[in-house]
Amino acid sequence: MNDSVRITKDKRPRARDIGIHIGVFSPGKYNAITDVKGVLVGHCTLIQGHGPLTPGKGPIRTGVTAILPHDGNMFKQKVPAASFVFNGFGKSIGLHQVNELGNLETPILLTNTLNAPIVADALIEWMMKENPEIGIDTCTVNPVVGEINDGFLNDIQGRHVKKEHVFEALTTAQSGQIKEGAVGAGTGSSCMGWKSGIGTSSRVLPQDLGGFTVGVLVLTNFDGLLTVNGAPVGRKLGHIPFKDPGGSVMVITATDAPLYQRHLLRVAKRAVLGLARTGFYGSNGSGDFFIAFSTATTIPHEPTDVTLQGVAMTNDALSSLFLATVETAEEAVINSILKAETTVGRDGNISEAVDIQKLVRILRDYSIE
């Protein structure tokens, strides 16, 4: 591992850029959730003002992130999905119906805690414009929104994410490489004592294990003692933030493996293990929510038959997908921290970016590659 890493102002590295290779499976082309064919991600980032907090006015350090399982009409063509709550100190919206019916019928939106109802309202409006029969000639719609508390840096009482910002994140969502770090819903988040935000990664299983792809996107805002590929980075750098009041995390797992709700619930749970390998422990005040969905098939809103036809992976075959999920979640967390830049928020509160050079030296000392 090279301990001399050049960092430019506008380009902090991802884990693999500095020789951190987590796990045994290979990443996809973009090493992102968008390696799962059809998945799109969009952000809208809000940064405005400096200095003392004026509740309702600023400073603003927040945003919204959209994850779309496909680019079609999700109400008409739902995808199999499941959700899991590790520690329920949070205000996520729509997860009960996801597990009850086993499907997802809207994009997933991420934002700050107090903005969640406004973002859900905007998502409902978006879906009704696309499906004017909602609530009139057919059932209502189940918006899915996840959140974290970014109040250390952001005027969270201001609820500055509005309908137009939600629509921007949805309309600009794209495949391929996506922005990470202090962007979108991650603009005001911090993780294990450092600035963090959005992170992503992916794995592709070998053909003899199915050849399926799994991708994870995380919004990190939790407590813990940062561990990078087994090295005790947080302890060596003196960042032991257990005195913090809490934190949260949203983890979105996508796969093209043919899975339904029961299988996806098992996949969603495995992502917890990937977080634990980075230092996550699920503090009292942490809202830790996990969503998994499959793009292998769609479920019509108006089926033409009383039965659904489909295939699914066997239970025995799931083990390799579980491991890939663990690896992917772990690397996504590390990317969320590495890519984030130091951010100054309300009242001059500072969330420092992790020092890449020091981190690399610690990994070298522990012979971690």
Side-chain angles (χ1 to χ4, degrees):
M1 174 175 289
N2 183 3
D3 66 336
S4 179
V5 179
R6 186 176 181 180
I7 309 300
T8 62
K9 182 179 179 181
D10 59 348
K11 184 172 174 58
R12 287 176 60 85
R14 306 182 80 200
R16 289 175 185 262
D17 295 335
I18 54 176
I20 301 171
H21 297 276
I22 293 172
V24 296
F25 292 125
S26 298
K29 179 179 179 180
Y30 300 105
N31 194 15
I33 193 172
T34 48
D35 285 319
V36 178
K37 186 177 180 180
V39 175
L40 311 172
V41 174
H43 302 293
C44 181
T45 302
L46 303 179
I47 299 175
Q48 182 179 321
H50 301 277
L53 172 67
T54 302
K57 294 185 177 180
I60 303 169
R61 303 289 186 274
T62 194
V64 59
T65 294
I67 303 98
L68 286 68
H70 60 70
D71 63 358
N73 187 323
M74 284 205 59
F75 187 71
K76 296 287 181 61
Q77 296 295 327
K78 312 173 198 299
V79 296
S83 66
F84 172 66
V85 180
F86 182 74
N87 194 70
F89 201 129
K91 288 79 180 172
S92 290
I93 295 170
L95 301 188
H96 289 84
Q97 182 172 311
V98 169
N99 274 345
E100 184 69 25
L101 301 185
N103 61 52
L104 184 66
E105 62 183 17
T106 72
I108 300 167
L109 297 181
L110 308 178
T111 189
N112 74 67
T113 306
L114 297 187
N115 243 131
I118 293 175
V119 168
D121 183 71
L123 181 54
I124 291 171
E125 182 172 334
W126 174 275
M127 298 302 296
M128 290 192 301
K129 285 183 177 180
E130 196 172 43
N131 304 276
E133 71 275 19
I134 286 176
I136 300 175
D137 298 319
T138 189
C139 62
T140 56
V141 67
N142 181 50
V144 174
V145 179
E147 49 73 31
I148 55 92
N149 184 344
D150 60 11
F152 177 71
L153 296 175
N154 176 49
D155 168 32
I156 195 169
Q157 286 192 7
R159 294 162 289 166
H160 297 285
V161 179
K162 306 300 183 183
K163 175 176 69 175
E164 60 267 27
H165 305 126
V166 172
F167 288 4
E168 179 180 331
L170 289 164
T171 56
T172 60
Q174 61 185 23
S175 59
Q177 290 185 328
I178 61 177
K179 293 181 179 180
E180 295 172 283
V183 64
T187 304
S189 68
S190 301
C191 185
M192 294 185 283
W194 281 282
K195 186 68 187 80
S196 63
I198 299 293
T200 189
S201 185
S202 71
R203 294 293 185 273
V204 180
L205 295 181
Q207 286 300 317
D208 62 343
L209 296 176
F212 303 115
T213 299
V214 60
V216 168
L217 181 143
V218 297
L219 169 57
T220 56
N221 196 54
F222 57 84
D223 293 341
L225 192 60
L226 178 61
T227 301
V228 179
N229 220 7
V233 173
R235 178 164 60 84
K236 297 295 290 186
L237 292 180
H239 273 248
I240 308 176
F242 297 118
K243 64 180 181 298
D244 291 350
S248 295
V249 66
M250 292 297 309
V251 181
I252 314 301
T253 302
T255 184
D256 58 6
L259 305 174
Y260 290 96
Q261 193 274 343
R262 179 179 66 82
H263 312 93
L264 289 164
L265 179 58
R266 300 182 73 196
V267 170
K269 291 178 178 179
R270 265 60 182 190
V272 178
L273 302 176
L275 269 62
R277 284 158 61 159
T278 71
F280 168 84
Y281 67 97
S283 68
N284 171 70
S286 193
D288 311 322
F289 296 88
F290 299 77
I291 302 171
F293 63 84
S294 170
T295 62
T297 188
T298 57
I299 303 169
H301 179 65
E302 297 177 340
T304 57
D305 202 344
V306 295
T307 61
L308 293 174
Q309 302 295 321
V311 298
M313 291 181 71
T314 66
N315 286 327
D316 289 343
L318 285 173
S319 291
S320 57
L321 198 67
F322 291 164
L323 177 56
T325 301
V326 173
E327 292 182 8
T328 307
E330 179 181 4
E331 187 166 339
V333 170
I334 302 305
N335 283 335
S336 78
I337 295 171
L338 293 177
K339 291 293 291 181
E341 298 180 352
T342 295
T343 300
V344 181
R346 57 100 168 171
D347 295 324
N349 290 344
I350 301 175
S351 186
E352 298 271 1
V354 68
D355 188 308
I356 302 295
Q357 304 288 1
K358 290 180 179 179
L359 183 148
V360 169
R361 284 196 290 270
I362 292 169
L363 298 183
R364 181 200 60 189
D365 291 343
Y366 280 80
S367 299
I368 300 292
E369 297 186 6

PDB file of all heavy atoms in Angstrom, residues 331-345:
ATOM      1  N   GLU A 331     -17.991  -1.697   2.461  1.00  0.00           N
ATOM      2  CA  GLU A 331     -17.258  -0.767   1.597  1.00  0.00           C
ATOM      3  C   GLU A 331     -18.038   0.510   1.344  1.00  0.00           C
ATOM      4  O   GLU A 331     -17.458   1.598   1.248  1.00  0.00           O
ATOM      5  CB  GLU A 331     -16.901  -1.441   0.274  1.00  0.00           C
ATOM      6  CG  GLU A 331     -16.000  -0.596  -0.591  1.00  0.00           C
ATOM      7  CD  GLU A 331     -15.360  -1.372  -1.734  1.00  0.00           C
ATOM      8  OE1 GLU A 331     -15.288  -2.618  -1.657  1.00  0.00           O
ATOM      9  OE2 GLU A 331     -14.917  -0.726  -2.704  1.00  0.00           O
ATOM     10  N   ALA A 332     -19.362   0.413   1.258  1.00  0.00           N
ATOM     11  CA  ALA A 332     -20.179   1.611   1.055  1.00  0.00           C
ATOM     12  C   ALA A 332     -20.025   2.591   2.210  1.00  0.00           C
ATOM     13  O   ALA A 332     -19.950   3.806   2.009  1.00  0.00           O
ATOM     14  CB  ALA A 332     -21.644   1.215   0.879  1.00  0.00           C
ATOM     15  N   VAL A 333     -19.978   2.067   3.443  1.00  0.00           N
ATOM     16  CA  VAL A 333     -19.779   2.934   4.610  1.00  0.00           C
ATOM     17  C   VAL A 333     -18.435   3.646   4.520  1.00  0.00           C
ATOM     18  O   VAL A 333     -18.341   4.866   4.742  1.00  0.00           O
ATOM     19  CB  VAL A 333     -19.881   2.135   5.915  1.00  0.00           C
ATOM     20  CG1 VAL A 333     -19.441   2.989   7.105  1.00  0.00           C
ATOM     21  CG2 VAL A 333     -21.294   1.625   6.127  1.00  0.00           C
ATOM     22  N   ILE A 334     -17.381   2.902   4.211  1.00  0.00           N
ATOM     23  CA  ILE A 334     -16.048   3.503   4.115  1.00  0.00           C
ATOM     24  C   ILE A 334     -16.026   4.573   3.029  1.00  0.00           C
ATOM     25  O   ILE A 334     -15.461   5.655   3.215  1.00  0.00           O
ATOM     26  CB  ILE A 334     -14.988   2.416   3.852  1.00  0.00           C
ATOM     27  CG1 ILE A 334     -15.003   1.359   4.964  1.00  0.00           C
ATOM     28  CG2 ILE A 334     -13.601   3.051   3.738  1.00  0.00           C
ATOM     29  CD1 ILE A 334     -14.844   1.904   6.364  1.00  0.00           C
ATOM     30  N   ASN A 335     -16.658   4.304   1.895  1.00  0.00           N
ATOM     31  CA  ASN A 335     -16.711   5.307   0.829  1.00  0.00           C
ATOM     32  C   ASN A 335     -17.465   6.556   1.264  1.00  0.00           C
ATOM     33  O   ASN A 335     -17.103   7.671   0.877  1.00  0.00           O
ATOM     34  CB  ASN A 335     -17.364   4.713  -0.419  1.00  0.00           C
ATOM     35  CG  ASN A 335     -16.431   3.799  -1.190  1.00  0.00           C
ATOM     36  OD1 ASN A 335     -15.217   3.917  -1.110  1.00  0.00           O
ATOM     37  ND2 ASN A 335     -17.011   2.876  -1.941  1.00  0.00           N
ATOM     38  N   SER A 336     -18.501   6.388   2.083  1.00  0.00           N
ATOM     39  CA  SER A 336     -19.277   7.554   2.530  1.00  0.00           C
ATOM     40  C   SER A 336     -18.429   8.497   3.375  1.00  0.00           C
ATOM     41  O   SER A 336     -18.661   9.710   3.378  1.00  0.00           O
ATOM     42  CB  SER A 336     -20.510   7.103   3.322  1.00  0.00           C
ATOM     43  OG  SER A 336     -20.185   6.713   4.647  1.00  0.00           O
ATOM     44  N   ILE A 337     -17.457   7.947   4.075  1.00  0.00           N
ATOM     45  CA  ILE A 337     -16.567   8.756   4.917  1.00  0.00           C
ATOM     46  C   ILE A 337     -15.400   9.309   4.107  1.00  0.00           C
ATOM     47  O   ILE A 337     -15.054  10.491   4.208  1.00  0.00           O
ATOM     48  CB  ILE A 337     -16.064   7.921   6.110  1.00  0.00           C
ATOM     49  CG1 ILE A 337     -17.246   7.551   7.018  1.00  0.00           C
ATOM     50  CG2 ILE A 337     -14.997   8.670   6.897  1.00  0.00           C
ATOM     51  CD1 ILE A 337     -16.905   6.558   8.113  1.00  0.00           C
ATOM     52  N   LEU A 338     -14.783   8.474   3.293  1.00  0.00           N
ATOM     53  CA  LEU A 338     -13.633   8.913   2.519  1.00  0.00           C
ATOM     54  C   LEU A 338     -13.985  10.038   1.549  1.00  0.00           C
ATOM     55  O   LEU A 338     -13.196  10.974   1.354  1.00  0.00           O
ATOM     56  CB  LEU A 338     -13.050   7.740   1.737  1.00  0.00           C
ATOM     57  CG  LEU A 338     -12.392   6.615   2.538  1.00  0.00           C
ATOM     58  CD1 LEU A 338     -11.927   5.506   1.601  1.00  0.00           C
ATOM     59  CD2 LEU A 338     -11.230   7.134   3.362  1.00  0.00           C
ATOM     60  N   LYS A 339     -15.153   9.981   0.947  1.00  0.00           N
ATOM     61  CA  LYS A 339     -15.520  10.959  -0.081  1.00  0.00           C
ATOM     62  C   LYS A 339     -16.025  12.284   0.475  1.00  0.00           C
ATOM     63  O   LYS A 339     -16.128  13.274  -0.267  1.00  0.00           O
ATOM     64  CB  LYS A 339     -16.598  10.359  -0.997  1.00  0.00           C
ATOM     65  CG  LYS A 339     -16.106   9.236  -1.882  1.00  0.00           C
ATOM     66  CD  LYS A 339     -15.106   9.699  -2.924  1.00  0.00           C
ATOM     67  CE  LYS A 339     -15.723  10.577  -3.980  1.00  0.00           C
ATOM     68  NZ  LYS A 339     -14.732  11.008  -5.006  1.00  0.00           N
ATOM     69  N   ALA A 340     -16.342  12.318   1.762  1.00  0.00           N
ATOM     70  CA  ALA A 340     -16.943  13.526   2.343  1.00  0.00           C
ATOM     71  C   ALA A 340     -15.875  14.557   2.690  1.00  0.00           C
ATOM     72  O   ALA A 340     -14.832  14.227   3.267  1.00  0.00           O
ATOM     73  CB  ALA A 340     -17.746  13.164   3.588  1.00  0.00           C
ATOM     74  N   GLU A 341     -16.152  15.806   2.388  1.00  0.00           N
ATOM     75  CA  GLU A 341     -15.256  16.912   2.707  1.00  0.00           C
ATOM     76  C   GLU A 341     -15.667  17.580   4.016  1.00  0.00           C
ATOM     77  O   GLU A 341     -16.841  17.564   4.394  1.00  0.00           O
ATOM     78  CB  GLU A 341     -15.268  17.942   1.580  1.00  0.00           C
ATOM     79  CG  GLU A 341     -14.769  17.411   0.248  1.00  0.00           C
ATOM     80  CD  GLU A 341     -14.796  18.469  -0.846  1.00  0.00           C
ATOM     81  OE1 GLU A 341     -15.352  19.565  -0.583  1.00  0.00           O
ATOM     82  OE2 GLU A 341     -14.276  18.209  -1.934  1.00  0.00           O
ATOM     83  N   THR A 342     -14.689  18.194   4.682  1.00  0.00           N
ATOM     84  CA  THR A 342     -14.971  18.951   5.904  1.00  0.00           C
ATOM     85  C   THR A 342     -16.087  19.958   5.648  1.00  0.00           C
ATOM     86  O   THR A 342     -16.082  20.674   4.645  1.00  0.00           O
ATOM     87  CB  THR A 342     -13.708  19.678   6.383  1.00  0.00           C
ATOM     88  OG1 THR A 342     -12.721  18.709   6.755  1.00  0.00           O
ATOM     89  CG2 THR A 342     -14.008  20.571   7.580  1.00  0.00           C
ATOM     90  N   THR A 343     -17.049  20.000   6.569  1.00  0.00           N
ATOM     91  CA  THR A 343     -18.212  20.873   6.404  1.00  0.00           C
ATOM     92  C   THR A 343     -18.420  21.705   7.665  1.00  0.00           C
ATOM     93  O   THR A 343     -18.423  21.172   8.774  1.00  0.00           O
ATOM     94  CB  THR A 343     -19.475  20.043   6.122  1.00  0.00           C
ATOM     95  OG1 THR A 343     -19.278  19.286   4.925  1.00  0.00           O
ATOM     96  CG2 THR A 343     -20.696  20.934   5.955  1.00  0.00           C
ATOM     97  N   VAL A 344     -18.578  23.013   7.478  1.00  0.00           N
ATOM     98  CA  VAL A 344     -18.909  23.927   8.573  1.00  0.00           C
ATOM     99  C   VAL A 344     -20.396  24.240   8.474  1.00  0.00           C
ATOM    100  O   VAL A 344     -20.888  24.646   7.419  1.00  0.00           O
ATOM    101  CB  VAL A 344     -18.092  25.221   8.488  1.00  0.00           C
ATOM    102  CG1 VAL A 344     -18.446  26.150   9.653  1.00  0.00           C
ATOM    103  CG2 VAL A 344     -16.600  24.914   8.479  1.00  0.00           C
ATOM    104  N   GLY A 345     -21.113  24.043   9.586  1.00  0.00           N
ATOM    105  CA  GLY A 345     -22.547  24.240   9.578  1.00  0.00           C
ATOM    106  C   GLY A 345     -23.006  25.322  10.514  1.00  0.00           C
ATOM    107  O   GLY A 345     -22.269  26.279  10.805  1.00  0.00           O
TER     108      GLY A 345
END
